[in-house]
């Protein structure tokens, strides 16, 4: 018998060179809705893009990548 299960979603934010793992606030939300939810806490996400999902450690991993340039 073949059994299908839904993989958990994990969201990764790279901030100051470190990966911050964000939990899924609501599995029924779209990835864009999760991005908007976390933008209240992490303002850099207001201009972030979402990478293509990658399956890693039995979870679907999305990366929020800032499109802002850095000074210097």
């Amino acid at each position: 018998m073949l059994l299908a299960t839904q993989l958990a979603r994990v969201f990764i934010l790279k901030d100051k060179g470190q990966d911050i793992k964000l939990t899924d606030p609501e599995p029924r939300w779209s990835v864009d809705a999760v991005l908007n939810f976390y933008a209240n806490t992490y303002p850099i996400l207001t201009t972030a893009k979402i990478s293509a999902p990658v399956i890693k450690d039995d979870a679907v991993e999305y990366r929020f990548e800032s499109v802002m340039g850095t000074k210097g």
Side-chain angles (χ1 to χ4, degrees), residues 5-61:
T5 59
Q6 185 172 352
L7 297 176
R9 299 187 301 177
V10 175
F11 301 92
I12 306 294
L13 165 64
K14 187 168 214 85
D15 187 31
K16 297 177 183 158
Q18 295 183 347
D19 284 347
I20 299 172
K21 188 178 280 191
L22 306 171
T23 59
D24 192 350
E26 174 53 65
R28 293 177 291 185
W29 289 357
S30 69
V31 177
D32 286 323
V34 173
L35 177 71
N36 291 333
F37 172 81
Y38 278 115
N40 292 321
T41 306
Y42 301 98
I44 197 163
L45 291 178
T46 58
T47 60
K49 66 176 185 161
I50 303 165
S51 69
V54 175
I55 297 175
K56 185 177 179 184
D57 299 327
D58 289 333
V60 180
E61 185 177 284

